Amino acid sequence: MTREKKVAVVAIGGNSLIKSKEHHSVEDQYQAAQETAIHLVDMIEAGWDIAVGHGNGPQVGFILRRSEIAHKVEGMHELPLDVCGADSQGAIGYALQQNLQNELKKRGIDKTAATVITQVRVDADDPAFQAPAKPIGGFMEEAEATQKKEQEGWNVVEDAGRGWRRVVASPLPVEIMELEAIKALINSGTITITVGGGGIPVIKDVGGVIGTAAVIDKDFASAFLATEINADLLLISTAVEKVALNFGKPDQVYLDQMTVAEAKEYLAEGTHFAKGSMEPKIRAIVRFLEQGGREAIVTNPENIGRALRGETGTRIVP
């Protein structure tokens, strides 16, 4: 991409949209997006062009639950997982772009925001498809789980005595189908909301591509996007101000900076980063930096501005 401005990919987590179990209505999520928009526009004012990736786990869970209830009560068709992902991209994108547009107008900044419903191709031979492990949807009784397995080919597992759940694969991204459109939007200065929830997973088909039941990690997808557009920065916004070693333990220590070599060493030790939260973020950052990325930052939304000035957050460098 030819450009003069600095470009960042910002991956925002679920906490940017759902603050707590008590605050997850559409109105609550809209207000949370409003707060997030303020921090993102601070980046714009600081001279950055940005692409925004976001999580969608809770939102897809709500969509699936509504679909399950409608199916049981009214006999309506259930929604395929890839369609749930597309629905969530549109709804979350709507909340983010409207709040961004309002905040830009308030500050007199002549920019706009747009959401790209983004398909991300995965490899049908990815080993993840042989070992589905990502739980989705609600809990089921064993009889229902067995029926779903036999009639619809679902992979189901018993979940710690709480019931049965569907599990799907979490493959790695290999191609962003709308990449050229995303590049054009970023080049035009548009704040581009994309790879929502890691992107809608698609695989190659005789006619082109087709949706598949999988979940792509949003941090891996955002890191992949950052590599593809040659971003100057990958910023992962999460629930903590800094990355910590021995997180949650008495000997916990926060990190201001680490190199790729140090990050790989900490990952190999296996005791520092939680499997479902910080570990994939660090792995995604390592991939980005090993493929030519220059810098990554991990911090929480309210500290994005301070982290960009080097005052807080954890900075990861090659």
Side-chain angles (χ1 to χ4, degrees):
M1 292 173 69
T2 57
R3 56 164 186 258
E4 295 174 7
K5 279 204 166 192
K6 299 176 292 182
V7 172
V9 172
V10 183
I12 59 176
N15 65 301
S16 300
L17 297 162
I18 294 179
K19 298 291 185 184
S20 69
K21 288 180 180 177
E22 295 76 37
H23 298 91
H24 58 217
S25 70
V26 171
E27 292 79 9
D28 290 330
Q29 291 185 57
Y30 186 87
Q31 287 176 3
Q34 195 170 36
E35 291 176 34
T36 298
I38 292 168
H39 306 307
L40 294 174
V41 176
D42 286 344
M43 284 189 76
I44 303 297
E45 280 200 316
W48 291 88
D49 280 333
I50 61 173
V52 182
H54 61 79
N56 70 346
Q59 291 81 7
V60 166
F62 298 151
I63 294 166
L64 279 169
R65 189 74 189 119
R66 286 194 291 267
S67 174
E68 289 165 359
I69 293 167
H71 177 68
K72 286 175 180 174
V73 176
E74 288 291 336
M76 290 184 68
H77 61 277
E78 290 191 71
L79 293 177
L81 185 57
D82 56 322
V83 174
C84 294
D87 281 2
S88 73
Q89 281 191 1
I92 295 168
Y94 165 60
L96 286 170
Q97 74 184 37
Q98 188 174 93
N99 278 299
L100 284 163
Q101 287 161 352
N102 290 343
E103 186 64 26
L104 290 162
K105 185 178 180 183
K106 192 186 297 181
R107 301 195 202 185
I109 299 172
D110 186 21
K111 274 184 179 289
T112 190
T115 300
V116 178
I117 304 301
T118 314
Q119 304 168 88
V120 174
R121 188 171 68 81
V122 298
D123 189 340
D125 295 324
D126 189 302
F129 283 109
Q130 304 308 314
K134 183 81 174 176
I136 61 160
F139 290 94
M140 298 173 280
E141 296 292 335
E142 187 174 1
E144 184 185 355
T146 302
Q147 182 187 38
K148 291 290 189 184
K149 183 178 181 179
E150 291 172 354
Q151 294 182 2
E152 301 188 38
W154 284 13
N155 290 290
V156 292
V157 295
E158 203 276 329
D159 190 334
R162 297 182 296 172
W164 290 73
R165 289 188 81 185
R166 182 185 182 188
V167 289
V168 298
S170 187
L172 291 170
V174 296
E175 182 182 6
I176 296 169
M177 305 308 297
E178 289 75 23
L179 183 62
E180 294 309 313
I182 293 162
K183 285 181 176 179
L185 284 165
I186 295 167
N187 273 334
S188 74
T190 302
I191 303 169
T192 309
I193 301 152
T194 178
V195 295
I200 304 161
V202 297
I203 54 174
K204 275 187 177 173
D205 183 63
V206 287
V209 294
I210 187 169
T212 187
V215 173
I216 303 168
D217 183 277
K218 62 96 180 164
D219 295 309
F220 277 104
S222 295
F224 184 73
L225 172 67
T227 300
E228 292 291 282
I229 66 172
N230 191 29
D232 300 286
L233 171 70
L234 171 63
L235 193 154
I236 295 184
S237 170
T238 186
V240 292
E241 186 174 337
K242 293 183 181 182
V243 176
L245 298 182
N246 302 309
F247 183 71
K249 298 171 186 171
D251 55 348
Q252 174 178 302
V253 58
Y254 287 107
L255 298 174
D256 295 320
Q257 182 164 311
M258 63 178 154
T259 63
V260 165
E262 288 167 338
K264 290 171 84 169
E265 192 177 312
Y266 298 142
L267 284 165
E269 288 172 15
T271 58
H272 300 295
F273 310 130
K275 292 283 181 193
S277 56
M278 191 56 73
E279 187 195 43
K281 292 170 175 52
I282 301 301
R283 290 195 183 280
I285 285 168
V286 167
R287 285 173 69 89
F288 167 64
L289 295 174
E290 285 190 327
Q291 292 172 3
R294 292 179 276 287
E295 183 180 24
I297 293 173
V298 178
T299 194
N300 49 4
E302 56 269 34
N303 279 299
I304 286 174
R306 291 182 61 226
L308 289 169
R309 295 191 296 272
E311 296 168 9
T312 191
T314 300
R315 184 171 260 93
I316 303 100
V317 295

